[in-house]
């Protein structure tokens, strides 16, 4: 179960000094700082854009761009309908089920080595049918009728 933080808990972020910096960058920086110093735990779901807009008294565009910047920098991940979740950069999504190997890989051999387009060993039959002289003679013998057969004469 994910931890959700109410918008009212992020209200102190509205008091951060702006000083010539875009408001969305200040908001994103505040959320990033809270994550880095432990006030926000990775996996915490941030409030919806509308709820945070009402709590901070800023435009929805400011909150939207702040969330987008956090996602771009790797400090958050979004999923439509599920919200924005804070995380550390480089941390991928957690798997809830075991990873299964692919069941069909027509262009790969066991061990994961890709061999399409790789030439095999040199041919010893001079390029005539894919087998050597002994194999061709054996095949020819197999096609002959047995000795003493009436068709042999």
């Amino acid at each position: 179960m994910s931890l959700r933080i109410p918008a009212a808990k992020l209200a102190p972020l509205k008091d951060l000094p702006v000083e010539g910096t875009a408001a969305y960058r200040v908001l994103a920086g505040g959320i990033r700082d809270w994550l880095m110093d432990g006030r926000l735990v990775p996996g915490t779901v941030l409030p919806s854009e509308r709820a945070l807009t009402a709590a901070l008294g800023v435009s929805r565009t400011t909150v939207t761009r702040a969330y987008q910047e956090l996602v771009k920098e790797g400090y958050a991940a979004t999923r439509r309908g599920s919200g924005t979740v804070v995380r550390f950069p480089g941390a991928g999504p957690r798997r809830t089920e075991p990873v299964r190997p692919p069941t069909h890989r027509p262009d790969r051999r066991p061990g994961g080595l890709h061999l399409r387009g790789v030439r095999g060993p040199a041919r010893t039959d001079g390029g005539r049918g894919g087998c050597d002289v002994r194999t061709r003679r054996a095949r020819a013998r197999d096609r002959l009728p047995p000795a003493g057969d009436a068709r042999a004469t």
Side-chain angles (χ1 to χ4, degrees):
M1 183 171 184
S2 299
L3 180 67
R4 292 189 170 272
I5 186 165
K9 294 277 186 176
L10 296 178
L13 292 174
K14 71 180 173 184
D15 298 328
L16 293 175
V18 176
E19 298 178 20
T21 306
Y24 76 92
R25 288 194 175 162
V26 172
L27 178 58
I31 294 172
R32 186 183 325 108
D33 292 344
W34 280 26
L35 174 65
M36 298 308 284
D37 69 11
R39 286 187 263 178
L40 284 176
V41 180
T44 302
V45 180
L46 293 174
S48 70
E49 293 173 1
R50 290 181 184 178
L52 192 55
T53 295
L56 299 180
V58 297
S59 74
R60 186 164 174 205
T61 304
T62 301
V63 175
T64 301
R65 289 190 67 187
Y67 281 7
Q68 287 173 347
E69 181 153 315
L70 289 169
V71 169
K72 184 175 79 174
E73 294 175 348
Y75 287 98
T78 60
R79 189 172 191 182
R80 189 173 195 164
S82 298
T84 303
V85 180
V86 293
R87 64 183 189 146
F88 289 119
R94 282 194 287 181
R95 293 192 177 273
T96 56
E97 57 189 53
V99 178
R100 295 188 181 121
T103 56
H104 179 65
R105 297 184 346 190
D107 63 336
R108 301 207 180 255
R109 300 281 168 96
L113 181 60
H114 176 66
L115 296 176
R116 182 178 286 170
V118 177
R119 297 185 70 156
R123 294 176 68 164
T124 58
D125 65 348
R128 296 178 306 254
C131 58
D132 60 5
V133 175
R134 285 182 295 233
T135 305
R136 282 185 292 162
R137 285 184 184 154
R139 287 181 185 168
R141 267 194 312 269
D142 292 341
R143 283 181 282 204
L144 292 174
D149 193 356
R151 291 180 288 160
T153 50

